[in-house]
Amino acid sequence: MDFKTTKLLHGGDYNPEQWLGRPDILKQDIAMLKESGCNVVSLGIFSWSTLEPEEGVFCLDWLADVIDQLYENGISVILATPSGARPKWLGDKYPEVLRVNADRHRNLFGGRHNHCYTSPVYREKVARINRKLSERFGHHPGVILWHISNELGGDCHCPLCQDAFQQWLRDKYGTIEELNRRWSTTFWSHTYQSFEQIESPSPRGEMGLHALNLDWKRFVTDRTADFLRCEVQAVREGGSELPITANLMYYFQGLDYFRLAKELDIVTWDSYPTWHKQELIETAYDTGMCHDLMRSLKGGKPFFQMESCPSSTNWQSVSKLKKPGVLFAQSMQAIAHGGEGALYFQIRQSRGASEKFHGAVIDHYGGSDTRVFREVCQVGETLQRLSELAGSTVKSPAAILYDWDSQWAMNDSQGPRNDGLHYHETLLKIYRGFRRQGVNVDLVDMGCALEGYRVLVLPMVYMFKEGFAEKVRAFVEQGGQLVTTYWSGIADDTDRCYLGGTPHGLMDVLGIRSTEVDGLYDWEENELVPVAENELGLSRTYRCKYLCDLPELRGAKTLMTYGRDFYAGYPVLTEHGYGKGTAWYVAADAEREFYADFLKLVLKRAGVPETVCGEIPDGLEVTTREKDGVRYYLYQNFGTRPVRVPLPAALVEALYGDPDAELAVCQLMVLKEMIQAAE
Ligand code: GLA
Ligand code: ZN
C-alpha cells in the first residue's frame, strides 16, 4: 500500500525510554517539537529491553502514553519494530540468535545488528513483539508508518545460514555440475562434488572464487529481505495495514537496495554528508545523487530522509559543526530531490552511552535558545510553507545505470586497476554533467524499465546480465541516446567473461569493439583531443586518467582521439547512429568538464528542453517537481556567493523567495509554473 502525506514531514528519532522517570522532560520535548514545527517522530527503534524486559513479559503502557500525548499535540508516530538490538536475556538464553562472523566466531552479546537473520528463535521472538505492537498500536490514529528494524545490514556465517545458503544455491542451479560450470570452479581446483561442501566466503578460506562471493552477497540480500518479510507478516498478523519502510543508508554496498525496496511501501534513508570537507556544491551533488538513487529504487514513488544530523555526528572522523544555513540547505535538498520530508537523528540527545555526543534537536542543555534549535525551527516553518509540494513527483529525462550486482562483481574482479577504479567519482562526474544543466536524473538498475528516458548512461557497467544488452539495443533503436563508457559489458551474471568481444551484445550498436585496456599509474595522464569539425562540435582538449580503453572502429565515427602514449591518435570518443537513436562510447576516464560539455550536447541532440533560460551559475542546484498541472522549480545556492537565478521560459509565480533578488548562499527559492495536467 502506498504512503501518502498531505504535509511535508519534519521530526526525527525519539527515544523517550531513556527518561521514563521524568515526565517533565516528555512535556518539555513535546512543547519544543511543536515550537519547531515537528509533526512526526520515530519511536521504539531500540526499545526492546523496555518493551519486553523479561521473556514474555510485555510493558507497552509507557509507549501508549507517549503515543497518546504526541497525538494530542498533533505529532504523528512512525513506529519501529525493535529488532535492531536485542535484550540481554535473549542472547543469554538463545545464543543461536547472535551472529557468527566470517572467521566463524560467534559474537558475544552487545552492540546492535548483532543477530542472525536465519535463526528460527530470533524470528519467532521478533514476530511476537511485532504482533504485540501491531495489536496495540496498529490502529492508533497517531501512528502513520511502520519502521522495520534499523539500518538492516551485515551477514551471518552460522551453521543455520550455511544451510540456508546451500539451499539457495540448490534452488538457483539445480545441479552441482551447473554450479561448477557457472562458477568456473575448475580454476585452481575448486570443483565441488555436492552442495553440502559449499561454505560462505571467509578470509580463513575461500575468497578468490568471484562467483561464490557474488552469490553470497545476493543470498545475504535475499536472506535480509526474507527476514524483513517475516517482520512485516507479524505486523500484519497483529492487524495493522499501515505502510512499511526500512531506513536505508548512503550508497550502502552490503545489500542490493533495488531488491530490498520491493519489500517496502516507501523508501526512507539516513543522510550524513560531511559538508565542510570540500566545497558545499560537491557534497550537494553527492547527496543529491543519493536522494535520486533512493527515489529511483521504487520507480519515483514517494520517499523521504529519515535521519540527518542537526549539528555534528560523533562517529565521523571529525565532528564538524554544520555552519549556519547548512542544516536548512540539507533539509531543503531532501525536498528538492523529490522527498516528502526531512527528519533528524535525534530529537533529544541521550545522556549516556555511545551516542551521547551525537547532535540532536534538543541538546544536553535542553533549552530552545540554541543556534541549532533556531535553525530547526526555520526548517519547520519553511516546510509548512512548502506543504503543497507533498505528493509531487520528479520527472527525469536522463538515467544513469547503477546496479549492485555489477558493482559487486567489478570491485572483486582483480584488474584492470586494483589501485582504484574511481567508479563513484566517475558517476559523480556524469551526474554533475546533467545537473549543471538543471536536468533531473534517475539512477536505475538492469531490471528497471528504460522507456521514458531520452538519455541513458552506462558508466563502467562491468556486468551485462542476461537480456540487458537487448533492452539497451531496443532503447537506442527507438530513438534513445546512449552513452557507454570503458569497462562495460565485460562479464555475465556469474562473473564469467564474455567471449567474442566487448561490450558484449552492444558492439554493433556502438559501432566499436574494445580491444585492450590500459591501467594508468596515479601520476599518469592522457588527453582527449577533438577531431576537427567533429559531429558534436566539441572543441576543447580534456584530461583523462586511470583507465584508457582502446576501441577499434566497427562503423562508428571518431569525435575525439587520445593525445599521448603509443595510442595517440586512437579513438577515445566515438559516435554511432543505430535505429532512430545514437550510441556514444567514452573510452577513457575523462575529467568532469568533459562530461559537462559533452552531456550538454547529448541532451540537445536528444531534444531535451532547457530547464531554465541561460547558464546555471556554479554552485546553483535547480530541480523540478510536478503535481496537478503545476511544475515547481526549486533553486538552491550551494555556491560561495549570492547569485541571480536563471528563470524558466514560462510565466511563473513565487512560492518561496523573491525571483527579482539575488539568492543568498544556502538559501532556497521555489517558483511555480502552470503546465498541462500531467499525463
Ligand atoms: C544511524 C542510525 C541511528 C544513529 C545514527 C547516528 O543512522 O540509524 O540509530 O546511530 O546513525 O548518526
Ligand atoms: Zn546465522
Side-chain angles (χ1 to χ4, degrees):
M1 86 237 22
D2 285 344
F3 177 81
K4 287 201 181 72
T5 171
T6 51
K7 54 189 173 196
L8 295 173
L9 303 175
H10 186 219
D13 283 22
Y14 186 50
N15 304 98
E17 63 272 23
Q18 296 170 98
W19 42 87
L20 287 182
R22 293 284 308 269
D24 57 311
I25 293 189
L26 179 63
K27 287 257 159 346
Q28 189 200 349
D29 291 347
I30 289 177
M32 287 177 74
L33 283 165
K34 285 167 78 173
E35 189 184 342
S36 55
C38 284
N39 50 30
V40 67
V41 297
S42 303
L43 278 183
I45 293 178
F46 295 113
S47 307
W48 199 342
S49 68
T50 316
L51 293 167
E52 191 183 359
E54 283 175 51
E55 185 171 7
V57 177
F58 296 96
C59 302
L60 309 190
D61 291 349
W62 66 270
L63 186 56
D65 180 49
V66 175
I67 295 176
D68 286 345
Q69 291 201 44
L70 288 163
Y71 180 61
E72 282 157 19
N73 285 281
I75 298 159
S76 307
V77 166
I78 298 170
L79 189 57
T81 64
S83 67
R86 68 231 50 76
K88 179 81 169 116
W89 58 257
L90 185 54
D92 287 356
K93 188 159 174 201
Y94 309 100
E96 73 161 66
V97 306
L98 298 173
R99 210 168 262 188
V100 171
N101 63 32
D103 278 347
R104 311 301 193 248
H105 290 126
R106 196 176 290 279
N107 290 344
L108 302 178
F109 173 80
R112 49 186 199 180
H113 313 298
N114 180 12
H115 52 263
C116 170
Y117 289 126
T118 304
S119 157
V121 174
Y122 198 61
R123 287 179 174 219
E124 180 198 317
K125 300 297 169 201
V126 169
R128 184 144 83 139
I129 183 92
N130 287 8
R131 267 195 304 273
K132 292 270 177 208
L133 289 169
S134 172
E135 282 162 7
R136 180 91 184 250
F137 306 113
H139 293 98
H140 194 294
V143 178
I144 58 168
L145 178 67
W146 287 99
H147 180 300
I148 303 293
S149 200
N150 191 69
E151 293 189 336
L152 295 160
D155 56 2
C156 173
H157 299 255
C158 79
L160 293 166
C161 287
Q162 302 290 348
D163 284 353
F165 181 44
Q166 289 165 4
Q167 191 51 47
W168 186 92
L169 293 170
R170 255 181 230 113
D171 293 345
K172 178 167 180 180
Y173 295 105
T175 65
I176 198 67
E177 291 74 25
E178 178 64 2
L179 176 142
N180 281 317
R181 194 176 71 79
R182 298 289 303 278
W183 282 16
S184 308
T185 53
T186 37
F187 184 80
W188 284 358
S189 262
H190 285 171
T191 315
Y192 296 99
Q193 280 85 44
S194 72
F195 286 100
E196 291 74 47
Q197 293 174 324
I198 300 175
E199 292 176 75
S200 62
S202 168
R204 291 168 56 208
E206 187 55 80
M207 292 289 275
L209 196 51
H210 294 160
L212 163 68
N213 298 345
L214 185 59
D215 271 341
W216 173 253
K217 290 194 168 82
R218 290 167 168 154
F219 162 77
V220 170
T221 296
D222 281 356
R223 201 81 301 242
T224 309
D226 190 59
F227 178 80
L228 200 153
R229 265 199 305 276
C230 284
E231 286 224 30
V232 175
Q233 193 191 331
V235 166
R236 299 292 178 238
E237 283 164 10
S240 172
E241 289 300 324
L242 288 172
I244 66 128
T245 191
N247 51 339
L248 309 184
M249 294 174 269
Y250 170 86
Y251 304 109
F252 181 61
Q253 288 304 298
L255 296 169
D256 176 347
Y257 276 167
F258 277 101
R259 165 85 189 78
L260 199 73
K262 293 193 179 14
E263 312 293 334
L264 309 175
D265 296 312
I266 174 170
V267 165
T268 58
W269 78 286
D270 302 343
S271 175
Y272 293 96
T274 45
W275 280 106
H276 302 291
K277 239 181 177 169
Q278 53 184 350
E279 303 247 319
L280 289 183
I281 186 63
E282 307 304 338
T283 310
Y285 285 136
D286 192 38
T287 310
M289 186 165 79
C290 201
H291 281 301
D292 294 347
L293 171 62
M294 295 294 165
R295 187 190 65 237
S296 303
L297 292 177
K298 287 194 79 69
K301 281 193 177 172
F303 78 105
F304 63 89
Q305 174 182 285
M306 181 66 91
E307 294 181 21
S308 64
C309 186
S311 56
S312 65
T313 68
N314 71 333
W315 53 265
Q316 285 160 337
S317 51
V318 172
S319 299
K320 192 87 198 148
L321 294 179
K322 286 190 175 66
K323 295 186 196 300
V326 171
L327 175 64
F328 178 80
Q330 167 165 352
S331 305
M332 295 308 133
Q333 197 192 21
I335 307 302
H337 284 257
E340 301 291 80
L343 279 61
Y344 313 107
F345 179 88
Q346 50 197 332
I347 298 298
R348 180 180 274 273
Q349 204 166 27
S350 47
R351 259 192 102 173
S354 83
E355 288 182 336
K356 60 182 176 293
F357 293 123
H358 194 288
V361 173
I362 306 169
D363 63 14
H364 294 145
Y365 159 63
S368 56
D369 52 338
T370 65
R371 183 182 72 89
V372 170
F373 190 76
R374 276 193 291 272
E375 201 156 327
V376 169
C377 292
Q378 192 204 347
V379 173
E381 199 183 301
T382 308
L383 291 177
Q384 271 163 18
R385 283 180 57 188
L386 299 180
S387 56
E388 65 177 83
L389 282 166
S392 60
T393 55
V394 173
K395 292 208 170 116
S396 305
I400 300 176
L401 203 104
Y402 186 94
D403 190 281
W404 262 266
D405 284 304
S406 179
Q407 286 181 65
W408 285 335
M410 181 172 72
N411 292 335
D412 215 18
S413 70
Q414 300 178 252
R417 205 172 182 284
N418 301 331
D419 252 5
L421 294 167
H422 297 271
Y423 173 74
H424 191 74
E425 291 84 341
T426 303
L427 281 183
L428 270 175
K429 287 190 277 191
I430 293 164
Y431 181 76
R432 176 182 175 273
F434 286 123
R435 299 294 302 128
R436 289 287 295 120
Q437 306 307 314
V439 166
N440 296 333
V441 183
D442 287 350
L443 281 92
V444 295
D445 82 346
M446 287 186 228
C448 295
L450 301 177
E451 296 85 26
Y453 296 114
R454 312 278 276 273
V455 182
L456 170 69
V457 185
L458 310 184
M460 301 170 83
V461 182
Y462 167 83
M463 176 187 288
F464 276 8
K465 293 180 198 170
E466 208 182 317
F468 179 64
E470 289 69 33
K471 197 163 159 177
V472 175
R473 171 186 303 272
F475 170 80
V476 185
E477 218 156 38
Q478 288 151 24
Q481 311 296 310
L482 170 74
V483 176
T484 303
T485 78
Y486 53 93
W487 211 231
S488 291
I490 309 289
D492 71 6
D493 302 53
T494 49
D495 205 4
R496 285 183 308 176
C497 289
Y498 280 116
L499 306 179
T502 63
H504 175 78
L506 289 186
M507 289 185 291
D508 60 330
V509 175
L510 291 158
I512 58 105
R513 176 177 84 81
S514 156
T515 63
E516 295 179 87
V517 184
D518 192 16
L520 273 58
Y521 291 105
D522 277 351
W523 41 266
E524 282 186 297
E525 269 185 21
N526 205 314
E527 52 192 18
L528 293 82
V529 182
V531 168
E533 283 161 35
N534 62 77
E535 312 287 310
L536 273 182
L538 287 156
S539 56
R540 262 191 60 188
T541 294
Y542 304 92
R543 288 177 298 123
C544 60
K545 296 180 79 170
Y546 306 127
L547 285 172
C548 293
D549 169 30
L550 313 184
E552 145 196 303
L553 296 179
R554 290 191 169 189
K557 285 189 201 110
T558 303
L559 306 189
M560 302 188 95
T561 55
Y562 282 109
R564 301 185 202 156
D565 214 320
F566 75 88
Y567 40 92
Y570 282 40
V572 62
L573 176 68
T574 64
E575 175 181 322
H576 188 234
Y578 186 84
K580 294 186 192 146
T582 316
W584 284 276
Y585 190 68
V586 182
D589 186 351
E591 67 174 296
R592 67 186 200 172
E593 287 317 318
F594 163 76
Y595 280 111
D597 295 345
F598 169 61
L599 291 175
K600 184 174 179 177
L601 298 167
V602 171
L603 284 166
K604 205 163 168 192
R605 180 77 74 85
V608 175
E610 284 180 352
T611 314
V612 290
C613 303
E615 188 92 348
I616 296 177
D618 254 345
L620 188 71
E621 262 233 290
V622 184
T623 46
T624 57
R625 292 180 69 155
E626 291 177 21
K627 179 172 100 171
D628 302 336
V630 179
R631 179 176 299 137
Y632 299 90
Y633 293 81
L634 295 100
Y635 298 83
Q636 286 196 272
N637 186 357
F638 289 103
T640 50
R641 60 183 67 86
V643 290
R644 215 157 255 290
V645 307
L647 298 176
L651 202 62
V652 287
E653 65 178 91
L655 177 64
Y656 189 89
D658 175 4
D660 295 325
E662 287 194 321
L663 185 64
V665 173
C666 284
Q667 280 311 304
L668 167 80
M669 186 182 301
V670 185
L671 306 178
K672 275 170 80 165
E673 176 197 349
M674 299 303 160
I675 52 167
Q676 298 292 326
E679 27 358 312

